[in-house]
Amino acid sequence: MNETEIKYLLPGIPGLHEIDVYEKEGGYGALRKALGMKAGEVIEEVKKSNLRGRGGACFPTGLKWSFMPKSSEKPKYLCVNADEGEPGTFKDREILEQNPHLLIEGVLIASYAMGIKTAYVYIRGEYVKWMNILERAIAEAYEKGYIGKNVGGSKYSVDIFVHRGAGAYICGEESSLMNSLEGERGYPRVRPPFPAQYGLWGCPTTINNVETLANVPVIIKNGADWYLKIGNEKHPGTLLYGVSGHVNNPGVFELPTDVLLTDLINRYAGGMRDNKKIKAVIPGGSSTPILRGDSIEGVRMNADSLKEAGSSIGTGGVVVMDEDTDIPLVLERIARFYHHESCGQCTPCREGTGWMEKIIKRINCGGGTMKDLDMLMNVANNIEGNTICALGDAAAWPVQSALRHFRDEFEEKIKNAETVAA
Amino acid sequence: MLSKERKEKLDKIIIRYPQKRAALLPALHLIQEQEGYISKDAMQYIVDYLEIPFGHVLGVVTFYSMFYDKPIGRHHIQVCTNVSCQLLGAETLVGHIGGRCGIKPGETSADGRFTISEVECLGSCGTAPMMQINDDYHENLTAEKVNSILDSLK
Ligand SMILES: Cc1cc2nc3c(=O)[nH]c(=O)nc-3n(C[C@H](O)[C@H](O)[C@H](O)COP(=O)(O)O)c2cc1C
Ligand code: SF4
Ligand code: FES
């Protein structure tokens, strides 16, 4: 089989969002298979498959599931993270639109494996269209007996509910998501305790991304050994790469992990507009460190290769910038985002994100000095690792990497301004 | 305050959660859908309905950017200016829309038709530049496309 022909998340089958079509294509067969296995065996199979989370942190899914207590006096919960707020990321919405039953089937298998009776899908508030598609699919699945009492005639019962967010990037962070679901402001929680011990309403909870869960039926259906052969063995499967920016053919591409970043840009996304050179690439959403265009040769889209290149695979949202791009302006916009979205609980993040935006803006407006560059780096370094949640790091990394790789552009702006002033 | 139909909807939502408070965001969405914004009276209604303190409701309304505590225009034009959209001309787009509506981002037109906001990434980066008007996404925008969309709005 040609690697690029493995498309199980977005196979492009017309009408697949309807349950009849989905069933005709073999849909809900994996659920039936899972219900015939012991819960522990399902978790073992997912562990063996090396499935890693697609929400940005790449955490091994089977391992995460195994943290859930097997027996618990309290109810256990699954939160499906459909908040999709990371700038440069627009993939989960494609699953919701084209293949919502695959997500539902994944949610059902995951819930069964962890002994969960209630799953909430936390969807970003703006995704009204996609929320409606998903709610319709859920209603269909209830009607057919895949959700609700005695799933598929088994002893297992489960409910799935959709919960709409209200416009806060921070609510995609898993502990903030739980607070938001409880009706609180979306403040991240201090860990430990971890969600598997103390999550929603203090009960054992697992949080997984939409794309992660959509991989599960495929693993159960075909087995971990089959899955391990797709892409990189340590980080297998297909990924939904979202390519945006200065390319001819932006969009979401389902390809195996391990694809070359340059292939993604040149072969799949149609190459650069007007044949321009690539100046910079953000490989996995705005929180991942920016790479120089002349340093991406040979970089593969898997967790290890991107780490080696000095960045991270994040959400697979690839933002491509051509040679005419003003990097300090891009960085200012990114800094403004993190400042705006900081929840304000930790001083380094609350103050630091504001400072970073202010300093970069000053440089862009022609009022910056060389000392500002050191101060900027200093602020970023002081945020990194000193906050309750990873938004702090996410705000620091773009700044640190931009200063490392494109310092000359910032210096030039400062020098130009000094010349004008003199 | 809520219509009978929406009240029934809310009652069905409340039982999805072990605690009433979890229905706060859904309740606020229902109110805003009906009233266009969330007034002090609406907050008080929710305080009574869900049995939670006023300060808590106020805190939540102000935390989330999708809840408005004041009336806004009939058509809320939200233009994404985050990085992928920025690269494809979001700033020019904001200027163009502002020109057509005669207002700046953050403002509401005097006739109450339009409010313009600059917003963060809406998950349409591959179809940038884009805007959302009320619940609808408009993608791959050009000046002409924007004009015809705006002309079609009452
Ligand atoms: C600031 C911030 C925002 C996040 N936003 C999202 C999001 O929108 N969607 C998502 O799936 N994960 C998001 N995450 C990651 C989640 O915290 C969590 O790791 C993920 O949902 C776990 O799912 P996975 O293991 O299946 O990847 C975010 C993390 C941070 C720190
Ligand atoms: S790091 Fe920032 S967003 Fe995260 S909890 Fe602290 S202040 Fe809030
Ligand atoms: S950056 Fe504009 S929609 Fe994502």
Side-chain angles (χ1 to χ4, degrees):
Chain A
M1 188 166 19
N2 184 342
E3 280 217 317
T4 55
E5 277 167 12
I6 305 177
K7 293 192 200 305
Y8 52 80
L9 297 173
L10 307 176
I13 297 164
L16 191 60
H17 62 283
E18 286 169 19
I19 199 159
D20 295 341
V21 179
Y22 185 73
E23 284 179 316
K24 212 183 285 157
E25 295 294 328
Y28 290 108
L31 172 66
R32 241 171 267 122
K33 184 171 173 188
L35 290 171
M37 295 162 72
K38 289 209 182 81
E41 288 170 356
V42 177
I43 297 183
E44 276 316 305
E45 197 67 19
V46 173
K47 251 192 187 164
K48 203 171 137 202
S49 77
N50 283 348
L51 171 64
R52 293 167 81 166
R54 309 299 204 229
C58 247
F59 195 84
T61 306
L63 185 63
K64 188 187 266 191
W65 292 6
S66 69
F67 294 154
M68 289 287 273
K70 283 192 188 54
S71 58
S72 158
E73 276 157 33
K74 295 181 190 168
K76 296 184 257 186
Y77 295 105
L78 176 67
C79 292
V80 183
N81 196 338
D83 200 48
E84 187 140 271
E86 174 81 356
T89 310
F90 48 104
K91 59 176 182 86
D92 294 336
R93 90 176 223 199
E94 291 300 327
I95 296 176
L96 296 169
E97 180 163 334
Q98 299 184 38
N99 211 351
H101 286 289
L102 184 68
L103 170 64
I104 294 170
E105 193 174 2
V107 172
L108 291 167
I109 296 171
S111 300
Y112 170 73
M114 289 180 275
I116 287 167
K117 294 203 165 66
T118 314
Y120 298 101
V121 183
Y122 188 100
I123 187 165
R124 66 176 301 173
E126 295 89 347
Y127 274 7
V128 178
K129 174 179 161 186
W130 296 277
M131 184 176 75
N132 291 338
I133 297 173
L134 180 65
E135 287 205 315
R136 182 168 168 255
I138 289 176
E140 286 179 327
Y142 263 106
E143 232 163 73
K144 291 249 182 174
Y146 294 123
I147 318 177
K149 279 223 166 65
N150 304 109
V151 173
S154 73
K155 276 194 227 137
Y156 177 63
S157 302
V158 63
D159 282 304
I160 303 179
F161 302 119
V162 177
H163 190 96
R164 184 180 173 200
Y169 167 65
I170 192 60
C171 291
E173 193 280 332
E174 57 182 31
S175 65
S176 165
L177 184 150
M178 294 189 292
N179 274 342
S180 177
L181 225 158
E182 289 180 11
E184 303 291 325
R185 280 181 277 186
Y187 288 138
R189 300 177 181 174
V190 178
R191 277 145 292 188
F194 292 98
Q197 267 67 52
Y198 193 92
L200 264 183
W201 300 290
C203 303
T205 304
T206 290
I207 302 99
N208 274 129
N209 170 260
V210 166
E211 187 186 344
T212 310
L213 291 165
N215 271 270
V216 170
V218 186
I219 292 167
I220 296 306
K221 184 176 160 206
N222 301 295
D225 291 328
W226 175 88
Y227 188 78
L228 283 162
K229 293 199 188 90
I230 309 169
N232 187 295
E233 204 187 25
K234 286 196 224 149
H235 182 190
T238 64
L239 283 187
L240 295 184
Y241 301 98
V243 187
S244 66
H246 296 137
V247 290
N248 282 313
N249 179 27
V252 174
F253 305 94
E254 179 173 6
L255 293 161
T257 56
D258 243 11
V259 69
L260 284 168
L261 178 52
T262 45
D263 274 355
L264 201 52
I265 296 169
N266 295 319
R267 276 178 60 194
Y268 299 103
M272 298 299 285
R273 285 185 170 201
D274 305 322
N275 285 317
K276 293 257 163 91
K277 285 203 195 73
I278 306 175
K279 182 190 266 188
V281 179
I282 300 173
S286 72
S287 301
T288 57
I290 191 167
L291 297 170
R292 282 184 70 91
D294 55 18
S295 76
I296 61 169
E297 208 61 52
V299 172
R300 287 185 180 276
M301 296 302 283
N302 69 58
D304 292 341
S305 180
L306 273 159
K307 201 167 164 194
E308 222 169 274
S311 190
S312 152
I313 188 143
T315 60
V318 179
V319 185
V320 187
M321 293 167 240
D322 72 16
E323 56 193 288
D324 300 332
T325 307
D326 184 329
I327 299 291
L329 271 187
V330 169
L331 191 67
E332 181 183 327
R333 185 61 189 86
I334 291 174
R336 182 172 132 199
F337 169 73
Y338 290 104
H339 180 210
H340 183 245
E341 299 299 329
S342 165
C343 82
Q345 274 192 109
C346 329
T347 313
C349 173
R350 182 183 65 236
E351 302 298 322
T353 51
W355 274 102
M356 293 196 299
E357 184 192 351
K358 210 157 119 187
I359 298 168
I360 303 165
K361 194 168 182 174
R362 183 157 72 213
I363 293 169
N364 279 325
C365 292
T369 63
M370 290 298 174
K371 270 200 191 129
D372 278 342
L373 293 181
D374 299 329
M375 182 151 58
L376 190 54
M377 195 59 133
N378 231 324
V379 176
N381 293 344
N382 278 312
I383 300 174
E384 191 187 11
N386 293 320
T387 57
I388 293 176
C389 88
L391 186 138
D393 296 341
W397 292 333
V399 171
Q400 292 165 332
S401 56
L403 282 181
R404 209 173 304 126
H405 299 314
F406 298 98
R407 195 180 172 96
D408 52 326
E409 286 199 31
F410 293 86
E411 287 180 348
E412 201 181 324
K413 284 210 173 182
I414 293 166
K415 275 186 209 137
N416 286 345
E418 279 170 352
T419 323
V420 175
Chain B
M1 164 144 303
L2 277 180
S3 66
K4 187 165 165 279
E5 193 186 301
R6 287 200 174 84
K7 214 159 146 181
E8 281 169 8
K9 225 175 178 177
L10 180 56
D11 289 339
K12 277 196 197 131
I13 290 172
I14 289 173
I15 55 173
R16 295 174 173 178
Y17 310 98
Q19 287 175 12
K20 264 187 172 178
R21 177 181 285 218
L24 179 51
L25 259 56
L28 290 169
H29 277 303
L30 284 168
I31 293 244
Q32 187 160 289
E33 202 180 278
Q34 179 180 305
E35 303 285 308
Y37 75 110
I38 295 158
S39 64
K40 287 267 156 30
D41 286 348
M43 289 185 219
Q44 188 57 50
Y45 176 83
I46 291 184
V47 164
D48 300 334
Y49 209 90
L50 299 181
E51 296 163 341
I52 41 183
F54 188 87
H56 182 76
V57 176
L58 183 67
V60 164
V61 170
T62 51
F63 183 89
Y64 295 94
S65 68
M66 283 181 71
F67 295 132
Y68 319 130
D69 57 5
K70 285 188 248 352
I72 60 158
R74 235 176 9 260
H75 307 289
H76 188 194
I77 306 172
Q78 306 177 67
V79 190
C80 170
T81 57
N82 212 303
V83 56
S84 305
C85 291
Q86 175 191 32
L87 293 173
L88 296 181
E91 201 184 338
T92 317
L93 186 69
V94 172
H96 178 78
I97 296 169
R100 295 280 298 200
C101 301
I103 46 170
K104 289 203 281 291
E107 294 177 352
T108 300
S109 60
D111 58 5
R113 263 174 90 200
F114 300 113
T115 298
I116 305 178
S117 308
E118 282 185 32
V119 296
E120 301 299 355
C121 176
L122 288 172
S124 292
C125 329
T127 41
M130 66 82 64
M131 64 180 172
Q132 182 182 4
I133 303 182
N134 298 345
D135 286 346
D136 299 323
Y137 276 41
H138 301 275
E139 305 176 287
N140 289 313
L141 293 175
T142 57
E144 296 80 59
K145 218 166 151 180
V146 167
N147 293 349
S148 72
I149 293 165
L150 293 183
D151 288 343
S152 72
L153 299 175
K154 291 268 146 51

